[in-house]
Amino acid sequence: MGLGTPSCSDSLPSVQSPPTFGFLLDIDGVLVRGHRVIPAALEAFRRLVNSRGQLRVPVVFVTNAGNILQHSKAQELSALLGFEVEPDQVILSHSPMKLFSQYHSKRMLVSGQGPVVENARVLGFENVVTVDELRMAFPVLDMVDLQRRPKSTPLPRNDFPAIEGVLLLGEPVRWETSLQLIIDVLLSNGNPGTGLATAPYPHLPVLASNMDLLWMAEAKMPRFGHGTFLLCLETIYRKVTGKELRYEGLMGKPSVLTYQYAEDLIRQQAERRGWVAPIQKLYAIGDNPMSDVYGANLFHKYLQMVKRDGAEERGAGGLWKPRPSATQSCASILVCTGVYSPKGPEATRPAQDAEEAPFHGHRDFSFSPGLMEASHIVNDVNEAIQLVFHKEGWAL
């Protein structure tokens, strides 16, 4: 599908100054609902793309989805939006795991669905074991489904190399199997065919991506996300051991690391296009107050702290140092086409009651009600783009 007639500003590129701002666009609930493109998204990209099919400003798509390959997501977006989206414009929830190189050579149990092995290898992990492979190696571990229980007791194995960490790339299909086997690995220090008198603590390293409790598809009500799976895993681990499950890294929105990673891709995109003016402002457009708004506001707060205190920027547990940033602000824009509804309780609740509302964020992100307040609330992504262009003095 095409993007319509170019605006007058597209025929006069020399009049338009280089952009000093960029967009971080969420996908589900902002551009698409399930497999259907939201009409406002097509209108938005008629404004964002010039007559040569090029973006007028740097854009990165930041999604908490992860059960797909990066280049496949780019192809999917290209077909839906009507212009070519490059793979390096797409940030999946687990994309920042590329930075955790200290774990790339370890033998990792990977949980999720879709192309989990290929995704793990693209991220740099060289030695992964899937939950299904572990189940086949130790069939007596998976006992919930009566149909899948072994009909006879297999001989114990001692030739299965120990697992050295756990990689959670997204919600799996059979939650009970993944929950059981991940717990087995943590309690046995990576040797699930054996038993230990006491569970080791600290446990093996766990890297997780996508903390969304809920996400919006075609259904009228939000669906469970990977954050719900993580909540189950954390609760079971605490109930069994009396201790807290700990993560070596939590990625995806609202993690600051994800926004640092996105900021770096925005900068690279601007450099490739020859836009010499530094990108000073980011506008994050999303539908989920807990992941999109909270994350953008948390990143804005981080930018202000770095600017005010002259603090050194850090990422990936201090192991990755981002390049010096020219970005000064990150504004959150909330749309009403996904998880957030202007008719929902969160829209009508008085500000003073915000602290009493259920907190849908992850356990490791302390709740700050002020970070849930979007800089702007608009109907859809097209209105969001118009709002930003107006603020920046750009032709619509």
Side-chain angles (χ1 to χ4, degrees), residues 256-275:
V256 166
L257 177 60
T258 291
Y259 288 85
Q260 288 178 310
Y261 191 80
E263 176 195 21
D264 202 46
L265 291 189
I266 286 278
R267 178 190 52 76
Q268 292 177 35
Q269 196 178 134
E271 288 176 356
R272 284 196 305 272
R273 290 292 300 275
W275 291 326

Side-chain angles (χ1 to χ4, degrees), residues 163-166 185-186 188-191 200 202-206 246 248:
I163 291 168
E164 299 174 282
V166 179
V185 165
L186 296 177
S188 66
N189 206 34
N191 297 281
H203 53 69
L204 293 174
V206 178
R246 297 299 179 197
E248 292 299 311

Side-chain angles (χ1 to χ4, degrees), residues 367-384:
F367 184 37
S368 177
L371 296 180
M372 296 276 285
E373 297 176 13
S375 306
H376 307 278
I377 300 177
V378 296
N379 286 321
D380 52 47
V381 66
N382 185 40
E383 282 193 19

Side-chain angles (χ1 to χ4, degrees), residues 126-362:
E126 303 160 7
N127 188 2
V128 296
V129 179
T130 67
V131 170
D132 276 342
E133 287 170 339
L134 186 62
R135 183 179 69 84
M136 295 299 289
F138 301 99
V140 297
L141 298 182
D142 188 20
M143 301 298 283
V144 171
D145 187 342
L146 296 176
Q147 299 299 316
R148 296 212 301 184
R149 288 185 184 180
K151 300 299 183 281
S152 60
T153 303
L155 293 173
R157 294 186 57 168
N158 57 9
D159 62 339
F160 196 84
I163 291 168
E164 299 174 282
V166 179
L167 201 56
L168 305 176
L169 297 188
E171 61 270 22
V173 175
R174 284 181 171 265
W175 285 29
E176 79 284 357
T177 297
S178 291
L179 289 168
Q180 178 70 76
L181 269 63
I182 292 166
I183 292 290
D184 287 337
V185 165
L186 296 177
L187 297 185
S188 66
N189 206 34
N191 297 281
T194 66
L196 296 178
T198 57
Y201 200 82
H203 53 69
L204 293 174
V206 178
L207 298 174
S209 63
N210 183 354
M211 297 165 270
D212 281 354
L213 187 77
L214 304 168
W215 69 288
M216 202 68 187
E218 290 96 338
K220 297 295 184 183
M221 295 173 65
R223 304 293 85 197
F224 292 158
H226 192 221
T228 309
F229 178 81
L230 296 180
L231 178 63
C232 294
L233 182 66
E234 294 154 10
T235 305
I236 295 168
Y237 186 85
R238 184 175 66 248
K239 194 73 171 178
V240 170
T241 67
K243 298 181 174 67
E244 295 291 342
L245 182 75
R246 297 299 179 197
Y247 299 95
E248 292 299 311
L250 269 173
M251 278 137 277
K253 298 172 290 186
S255 169
V256 166
L257 177 60
T258 291
Y259 288 85
Q260 288 178 310
Y261 191 80
E263 176 195 21
D264 202 46
L265 291 189
I266 286 278
R267 178 190 52 76
Q268 292 177 35
Q269 196 178 134
E271 288 176 356
R272 284 196 305 272
R273 290 292 300 275
W275 291 326
V276 293
I279 303 300
Q280 298 178 329
K281 301 177 187 176
L282 295 177
Y283 293 93
I285 303 175
D287 70 304
N288 190 327
M290 190 53 245
S291 58
D292 298 309
V293 173
Y294 202 94
N297 289 342
L298 194 63
F299 184 54
H300 178 78
K301 185 177 178 181
Y302 165 81
L303 290 172
Q304 301 309 299
M305 179 191 70
V306 169
K307 182 180 175 182
R308 181 185 68 246
D309 301 337
E312 182 179 340
E313 295 186 65
R314 301 180 71 82
L319 298 170
W320 169 69
K321 183 179 177 183
R323 283 178 52 166
S325 170
T327 307
Q328 297 178 358
S329 65
C330 182
S332 55
I333 304 179
L334 182 63
V335 300
C336 304
T337 49
V339 169
Y340 175 80
S341 169
K343 298 178 182 177
E346 71 275 20
T348 56
R349 188 172 56 244
Q352 62 266 28
D353 294 340
E355 293 187 44
E356 299 175 12
F359 177 52
H360 287 179
H362 188 267

Side-chain angles (χ1 to χ4, degrees), residues 20 84 94 172 219 247 393:
T20 57
E84 187 175 0
H94 48 63
Y247 299 95

